Amino acid sequence: THPRTLAPSRKHCLRMGLSIVPLPKRIKSRKHARKVTSEYHRITERLHHTTSSDERAKCAEELQAIGGVDAYQQASQFNTALHSTSRWVARRLRAHGVLAAGKPAPRVLEIGAINTQLLDTPGLHVRALDLNSQDARIEQRDFLTLPLGGALEASGASRPYDALVCSMVLNCVPDARRRFDMLVCMRGQLRVGGLCFVVLPGSCLAHSHTLTHDSFADCLRGVGLAPDLAAETPASAKLAYFECAAGLPDSAAALRFQRARHERRSGHGSQPPRRKSRGADFDVDLGGALGFGERIGRSFEALQPSRAQKEQRAARAEFLRQLKEEKLNG
């Protein structure tokens, strides 16, 4: 039964002096689902950054008005019914021969599971996690609290997963640094050669002030999740799909990402103003420990030329100038 039928009446609330908060409508359309998810992200972003008790109270009221995390997850379930990540994941695991008859069931870790589609996929051994579980089979837990190396077995040894699914989760993390931590932890749960499936809203890469599709691919390579950009992905104008193979962190790719991010951040102020997109603030603060003993600087630093390099460049410019004059005079 929908909760609306169990709610106290308006007359009862007035008689008892209770506040009247309209119940959120059941989500029945894509437009309504997008509105709920957008509002939820906007409010939680403000809540994460504010230090004002008044502002926090205001955010809490706004979250209650849209139905809170339950309405957000209902909207997410509605959206995933239209774009099934689980079918794509199963299809790609079969293409790699990981999911096949006669082979042991591949061990899959799903982060931010809002439904049981992957759990219900035949032939997979799935451990599903979510911060606010909506099903008894989904473990209510913060992914970042998991020990690295995979699940602990009865012997006490850890066994890495064969695949990991992170669909529409990274964009929900409100802090750029925690997104980097999450990517490092994702790599830390996989065996070498294991597959990682990442899905993001397309606007996070198309409209971000700091990232692009190509630079985010370098970000993934930097933490040891090399994307196969030629892999088959669902056709969608709204979502960005990445299929990655787990390997060693690539510090060169991480440095490329830092440089590209620095250049976009530096040039953002010179760009003409435009209507702000929901994906404009999507960012990853990559730097420090990449995992497996690999480390780079905490942030990009443009190298300043030394005095000798400056003198060498000046001498070369003067030589070219004189050579040009000789040709003109000759």
Side-chain angles (χ1 to χ4, degrees):
T1 304
H2 190 265
R4 183 180 296 278
T5 61
L6 303 177
S9 67
R10 177 184 179 89
K11 186 175 181 180
H12 173 78
C13 289
L14 290 172
R15 185 172 66 248
M16 301 299 294
L18 302 175
S19 60
I20 302 173
V21 178
L23 290 172
K25 298 179 181 178
R26 181 175 290 277
I27 294 170
K28 298 180 180 179
S29 69
R30 295 177 66 180
K31 182 178 180 180
H32 186 195
R34 286 197 299 268
K35 182 178 179 181
V36 170
T37 54
S38 298
E39 282 295 294
Y40 182 84
H41 289 156
R42 181 184 63 80
I43 297 167
T44 52
E45 182 79 14
R46 284 167 45 208
L47 188 60
H48 177 75
H49 289 101
T50 187
T51 57
S52 166
S53 57
D54 291 341
E55 181 67 13
R56 295 184 72 86
K58 184 178 179 182
C59 289
E61 289 178 4
E62 292 179 9
L63 282 175
Q64 184 182 21
I66 67 169
V69 68
D70 291 336
Y72 170 74
Q73 291 199 315
Q74 186 186 143
S76 299
Q77 288 169 353
F78 188 93
N79 287 327
T80 55
L82 300 171
H83 302 283
S84 176
T85 300
S86 60
R87 288 198 292 269
W88 171 56
V89 169
R91 189 164 64 246
R92 295 307 300 159
L93 290 175
R94 291 190 190 98
H96 285 280
V98 179
L99 176 57
K103 284 190 174 184
R107 301 170 66 258
V108 181
L109 178 63
E110 182 181 14
I111 307 169
I114 57 169
N115 57 44
T116 61
Q117 291 177 359
L118 203 61
L119 283 163
D120 295 334
T121 302
L124 297 182
H125 185 276
V126 179
R127 181 186 183 186
L129 309 177
D130 192 61
L131 285 173
N132 188 53
S133 172
Q134 300 291 297
D135 189 277
R137 291 183 293 166
I138 299 174
E139 184 180 342
Q140 185 158 310
R141 181 162 183 176
D142 183 352
F143 167 69
L144 292 177
T145 65
L146 290 183
L148 299 180
L152 289 176
E153 298 187 324
S155 62
S158 60
R159 184 183 174 192
Y161 293 93
D162 300 304
L164 184 147
V165 179
C166 178
S167 177
M168 305 296 283
V169 177
L170 200 61
N171 53 295
C172 297
V173 179
D175 182 81
R177 187 62 183 173
R178 284 176 66 83
R179 291 191 191 109
F180 166 67
D181 293 337
M182 191 169 194
L183 289 173
V184 172
C185 289
M186 286 162 57
R187 171 59 190 93
Q189 296 294 339
L190 288 166
R191 64 174 175 81
V192 174
L195 297 172
C196 180
F197 300 93
V198 180
V199 184
L200 290 171
S203 61
C204 287
L205 302 180
H207 301 155
S208 172
H209 293 318
T210 55
L211 307 182
T212 64
H213 188 281
D214 290 341
S215 68
F216 183 69
D218 266 339
C219 176
L220 293 170
R221 294 184 189 100
V223 299
L225 298 172
D228 181 358
L229 301 181
E232 176 268 329
T233 59
S236 173
K238 299 289 186 181
L239 301 176
Y241 293 85
F242 294 88
E243 176 189 312
C244 309
L248 291 176
D250 185 342
S251 57
L255 290 171
R256 284 199 305 270
F257 169 79
Q258 282 189 341
R259 176 184 286 276
R261 178 174 179 258
H262 170 78
E263 290 174 351
R264 281 183 68 87
R265 292 177 73 182
S266 301
H268 170 59
S270 61
Q271 298 297 321
R274 64 180 182 183
R275 183 173 177 268
K276 190 172 182 180
S277 161
R278 292 191 299 273
D281 293 328
F282 182 76
D283 190 16
V284 179
D285 183 6
L286 181 150
L290 302 175
F292 300 92
E294 195 71 33
R295 176 179 289 274
I296 64 170
R298 182 65 173 76
S299 60
F300 174 78
E301 294 181 4
L303 297 177
Q304 297 297 325
S306 65
R307 181 177 177 180
Q309 288 175 322
K310 290 180 180 179
E311 291 176 349
Q312 186 177 21
R313 290 175 186 174
R316 183 174 183 274
E318 178 61 21
F319 171 76
L320 292 175
R321 186 190 65 78
Q322 293 179 7
L323 184 62
K324 186 176 181 180
E325 284 186 356
E326 289 178 2
K327 286 183 178 181
L328 291 174
N329 294 334

